[in-house]
Amino acid sequence: MSDMSEIGRLILLGAPLGNPADGSVRLRDVLGVADVVAAEDTRRLTRLARDLGVTVEGRIVSYFEGNEERRTPELVEVLLAGHTVALVTDGGMPSVSDPGYRLVTAAVGAGVPVTAAPGPSAVTTALALSGLPCDRFCFEGFLPRSPGARRARLRALAAEERTLVLFEAPHRIAAALTDLAEAFGADRPAALCRELTKTYEEVLRRPLGELARWAADGEPRGEITLVVAGAPQVAPEPPGPDELRAAVAAREAAGESRRDAVTAVAAEHQLRRRDVYTIVHTG
């Protein structure tokens, strides 16, 4: 796939979360022809290629958290020399709480084209399975490891109205759920998604307090994605009579007729025009 007369290309590969059958045709094609395959775990890559029936012809190098800083400039040199580099993690899309961001940034900075063979994502898979609102959500990745920092972060997120998606390690999930229940309320709906697409896939849809008690009974195994409902929207306090009179007076001072001013103020606060009119005229 290399062309020494042109600049190379970086391709991000979406890898199966657990079930090899989720691997796309493009994933197979790119793995088979890329000049270099940078893998988070070379042993897992070898196993994945075998499961997909693909022979990796290119050079395989490791690319993980411990060697990203050193390996990135090496891979950029390979790209600038006209070679194609494929980046694959243990599961899901590179850069999403996985290695990749540093290399993408460096490649873009060097003028190297970056594209993707998109594939599975634990974030969107868990979100879809959770039964919680999916129209607006935010991804928080892994919470801080230290208890104090974790609780501070959760306090800052407690009023977030969008659905939250989090990753957490099995040995920290009980403590994280306890802190979530304290910060968000034990009744906040949530879904704990474990071992997605694998043989022992499990999705527990329960309030945070129940999930915390469940996790405390025994350390869950496998990779965990947690989906938490956003904070319930709080209706704003309706304006008082004095505030409504002042709003109408301000519009009148700006040149609006009283009729138009009352209509506009009523619409702004979702009130009946007749009620606003009565308040203005009885003030």
Side-chain angles (χ1 to χ4, degrees):
M1 186 179 272
S2 63
D3 186 343
M4 300 303 291
S5 65
E6 298 180 0
I7 201 168
R9 183 170 56 152
L10 174 62
I11 306 177
L12 310 180
L13 302 181
L17 302 176
N19 191 329
D22 292 333
S24 69
V25 173
R26 285 191 64 200
L27 170 65
R28 292 172 167 86
D29 290 345
V30 174
L31 283 178
V33 299
D35 300 307
V36 176
V37 178
E40 184 178 10
D41 187 321
T42 57
R43 292 170 299 180
R44 287 198 181 190
L45 170 64
T46 301
R47 188 183 315 125
L48 175 62
R50 183 177 64 249
D51 290 340
L52 296 177
V54 174
T55 300
V56 180
E57 300 288 354
R59 180 165 60 97
I60 299 175
V61 300
S62 63
Y63 189 79
F64 58 97
E65 184 179 0
N67 72 356
E68 269 188 290
E69 186 172 359
R70 171 177 58 83
R71 187 76 79 185
T72 294
E74 297 174 4
L75 291 174
V76 171
E77 288 185 12
V78 171
L79 290 162
L80 292 175
H83 297 287
T84 294
V85 174
L87 177 61
V88 61
T89 64
D90 293 344
M93 287 299 298
S95 298
V96 183
S97 287
D98 272 331
Y101 169 76
R102 190 190 298 267
L103 180 56
V104 171
T105 301
V108 170
V112 174
V114 180
T115 187
S121 166
V123 176
T124 53
T125 301
L127 183 66
L129 292 176
S130 70
L132 297 172
C134 301
D135 53 338
R136 298 174 65 243
F137 72 94
C138 57
F139 175 57
E140 278 293 315
F142 284 94
L143 291 169
R145 296 186 180 185
S146 70
R150 181 174 61 239
R151 290 166 189 154
R153 182 60 188 151
L154 291 177
R155 285 194 296 270
L157 291 170
E160 172 59 62
E161 295 181 352
R162 294 171 294 178
T163 299
L164 292 168
V165 184
L166 308 162
F167 289 161
E168 193 51 274
H171 64 280
R172 291 195 299 268
I173 189 63
L177 284 167
T178 297
D179 290 342
L180 274 160
E182 181 178 346
F184 291 8
D187 293 333
R188 181 81 69 92
L192 186 148
C193 305
R194 188 180 70 84
E195 294 289 86
L196 290 171
T197 78
K198 300 177 183 177
T199 302
Y200 298 104
E201 175 181 285
E202 184 176 30
V203 180
L204 299 177
R205 302 174 184 88
R206 303 176 185 177
L208 284 171
E210 291 186 24
L211 286 176
R213 290 191 291 273
W214 172 84
D217 288 339
E219 182 178 303
R221 296 182 180 181
E223 298 181 356
I224 295 172
T225 304
L226 190 63
V227 186
V228 183
Q233 295 185 3
V234 179
E237 288 290 330
D242 290 342
E243 186 179 348
L244 291 172
R245 295 187 192 103
V248 171
R251 286 181 173 273
E252 287 184 298
E256 292 185 20
S257 67
R258 172 159 293 187
R259 178 185 180 87
D260 290 343
V262 168
T263 300
V265 170
E268 179 182 353
H269 296 287
Q270 298 182 346
L271 299 171
R272 293 191 305 176
R273 180 183 179 280
R274 181 187 305 172
D275 293 340
V276 177
Y277 184 84
T278 300
I279 290 172
V280 170
H281 281 271
T282 57

